[in-house]
Amino acid sequence: MPQVDSLKTYDTIIVGSGAGGLAAAICLSRAGQKVVVLEQHDVPGGWCHSFYLNGHRFTPGVHYVGLCGEGEATNDLYRGLGIANDLAFFRMNPDAYEHVHIGEHRFDFPADPERLISRLSERFPKEEKRIKKYLGLIRKVSEELYSLPYFKGFWQKLSIPYKTRHFGKYGLFNLRRVINWHIKDPLLKNILNIQCGDHGVQPRKAAFVLHSALMFHYFYGGYYPMGGGGALIKAMTNAIKKHHGEVWTSKGVKRILVEGDTSKKAVGVELENGEQLFANQIISNADVGITYNDLIGKGHLSKKLQKKLEKTIYSCTSLMLFLTVDMDVVAAGIDSGNIWMMPDKDQDDYYDASMSSDLTSDIPFDGMFISCTTLKDPISFDGKHHTLEVITFIGYEAFEKYKDEDAQRSAEYLAFKEHLTKKMINGLEKAVPNISKHIVHQELGTPITNEYYINTTAGNVYGTEKSLKHIGPFAFKSKSEIENLYLCGASILSHGVAGASHSGVATAAQILGCHPDELKQPQEDQYLRIYEAEDPSDYPDWLLKKIEVRKARLVSKEKAEA
């Protein structure tokens, strides 16, 4: 490594401040390393960051988190990272944390697997035995998957084939094949598969094991962070700074510095402004395409890795509509639960059509995810305005011609964006009639928005496509073929807020030479506060005061403007 100013040398440089990068930074800085996190956006957080439009908060990538209850995995993770005391979560409607709208059919997911079985069996009595068997299989496969890291020693490892027999039996099958073996009713299949939206692939592509883990993650309901995703990021960055780590924003990385001709070694980074920083390790929290193709460069990669990258498929991209409305959405039937809306058709056919649909047509989108954040997080409600985040998945092709535009967007792009906004609102009308008459503010995020703010390949939402070809043993590894270069995030271990965080911990553990569980062992003095989004009766005084202050500000503002 060249002789450089010691102020520009670190133990570890982390590129990207998503949940994975920040989790890794907490673990490494807590272990005594000198760590810096570099973020190209003007706020940290990646998909988890929050932003404001006319004083109302939105978070593009955090809509719910599972396993936040006492003794559950996400709760333990935040306690282990030492950020639980700085967080509070609202539990979404326990009777219906997921509302399923399939054509004219309706079904609600309760936050209890036994109640789910009972509710499904009542709706589909002829399928009762198959429902019990299938959901039992979901649980077994998930529990076996989560148990794999805990087999240690020769005799325990010898028993793996038996103790993980369900995981082994179904590990190489897609979701469509397995559910077809167990469930006959087409509507029931669509209901059970509705959470495919959480990994953005249709049943014939989704790995059954991955979908099992995802369903298990939400078996006991969904939770939303008080203050949105930004509150989670604030807690994580504060923990990093507490341990003398650094988080720099508006510091885009131009390239990762690599030395050596035959044996490659990452030694630092060059920023967009030309400044160079050096470190013993580099962790990239950017997606694998950005990391290897752009930051490293193909010339530094082996033929094998180049070939793998050429065959890599990235997850779908999205349109995300951010709305502020002056409507009584509760009277319109909305609560803190998510709404999944799709047409009454085979889910594979629906996904195929949505990825290749003609976006220039005037036909409203018929598949959407709808989230009302002011009902998930009561402190964000000002007493009059509700905020909604509405998402639909699309293909990237229609945006290809706009990808090289600078921040000053073309008139053609802006007109296309306005057209898509109308399609989104017209589709939303199916779930919330007359909402278009109550819109105070609207803003649409497109695949180009994703690329600009999050810096993902083709605006992807979940990193690599979550099909059998890109998960488990076929996923990209946290330790790269380049010495001292590591990766974390949605394309490595798992996606989603919790999955990416676990990935960051696992990468830090590789660097520190320990087991990830040692880094996320729950701390006795850490406690995650949980409140009911639907029931304020147990809110403490400080929380009630926050809610009242928010409402009082609106009253004061309206009086001042009168």
Side-chain angles (χ1 to χ4, degrees), residues 136-156:
L137 177 63
I138 293 283
R139 178 185 288 277
K140 288 174 184 176
V141 167
S142 301
E143 290 174 344
E144 290 174 5
L145 173 64
Y146 290 129
S147 73
L148 283 173
Y150 301 100
F151 288 99
K152 299 174 183 177
F154 175 77
W155 293 110
Q156 283 193 5

Side-chain angles (χ1 to χ4, degrees), residues 302-316:
S302 69
K303 297 294 183 183
K304 180 180 179 181
L305 181 52
Q306 288 183 44
K307 189 174 181 180
K308 181 178 176 69
L309 286 164
E310 288 170 1
K311 293 182 177 180
T312 295
I313 301 172
Y314 295 91
S315 75
C316 61

Side-chain angles (χ1 to χ4, degrees), residues 201 205 288 308-316 457 460 463-467 469-470 476 491:
V201 288
K205 286 186 176 181
V288 292
K308 181 178 176 69
L309 286 164
E310 288 170 1
K311 293 182 177 180
T312 295
I313 301 172
Y314 295 91
S315 75
C316 61
T457 302
N460 75 74
T464 51
E465 182 182 76
K466 295 304 175 272
S467 60
K469 296 178 180 179
H470 295 95
F476 285 87
S491 301

Side-chain angles (χ1 to χ4, degrees), residues 10-22:
Y10 295 84
D11 293 307
T12 301
I13 294 172
I14 299 175
V15 182
S17 67
L22 295 179

Side-chain angles (χ1 to χ4, degrees), residues 358-430:
D358 178 11
L359 297 180
T360 63
S361 77
D362 292 327
I363 301 172
F365 291 108
D366 54 4
M368 291 180 170
F369 173 87
I370 304 165
S371 167
C372 182
T373 50
T374 39
L375 295 179
K376 290 180 175 181
D377 180 8
I379 69 167
S380 65
F381 180 49
D382 65 8
K384 181 179 181 180
H385 301 102
H386 284 285
T387 55
L388 290 89
E389 296 165 353
V390 185
I391 305 168
T392 192
F393 293 134
I394 58 170
Y396 182 76
E397 291 72 20
F399 291 87
E400 190 80 38
K401 59 183 175 180
Y402 305 116
K403 68 178 182 179
D404 294 324
E405 291 187 358
D406 57 24
Q408 190 66 37
R409 303 299 183 192
S410 67
E412 182 184 356
Y413 169 78
L414 294 176
F416 188 38
K417 186 175 174 180
E418 184 178 352
H419 165 75
L420 293 171
T421 300
K422 290 178 181 178
K423 282 171 63 79
M424 290 282 286
I425 293 171
N426 290 339
L428 179 60
E429 283 273 344
K430 297 177 184 178

Side-chain angles (χ1 to χ4, degrees), residues 180-249:
N180 282 348
W181 287 337
H182 292 82
I183 303 296
K184 305 304 178 186
D185 189 286
L187 175 61
L188 176 57
K189 292 177 188 178
N190 275 346
I191 290 173
L192 287 169
N193 290 343
I194 199 69
Q195 290 169 328
C196 275
D198 283 325
H199 35 243
V201 288
Q202 53 267 64
R204 79 166 188 277
K205 286 186 176 181
F208 174 70
V209 169
L210 179 68
H211 192 75
S212 296
L214 187 140
M215 285 193 73
F216 183 80
H217 183 74
Y218 292 116
F219 258 178
Y220 296 96
Y223 299 78
Y224 190 81
M226 182 186 298
L232 176 59
I233 297 306
K234 183 178 180 180
M236 298 181 87
T237 55
N238 283 344
I240 293 166
K241 294 171 184 177
K242 174 184 174 183
H243 298 294
H244 312 293
E246 302 172 33
V247 179
W248 297 0
T249 56

Side-chain angles (χ1 to χ4, degrees), residues 499-517:
S501 299
H502 282 290
S503 171
V505 174
T507 297
Q510 281 221 350
I511 291 172
L512 296 173
C514 63
H515 193 279
D517 283 355

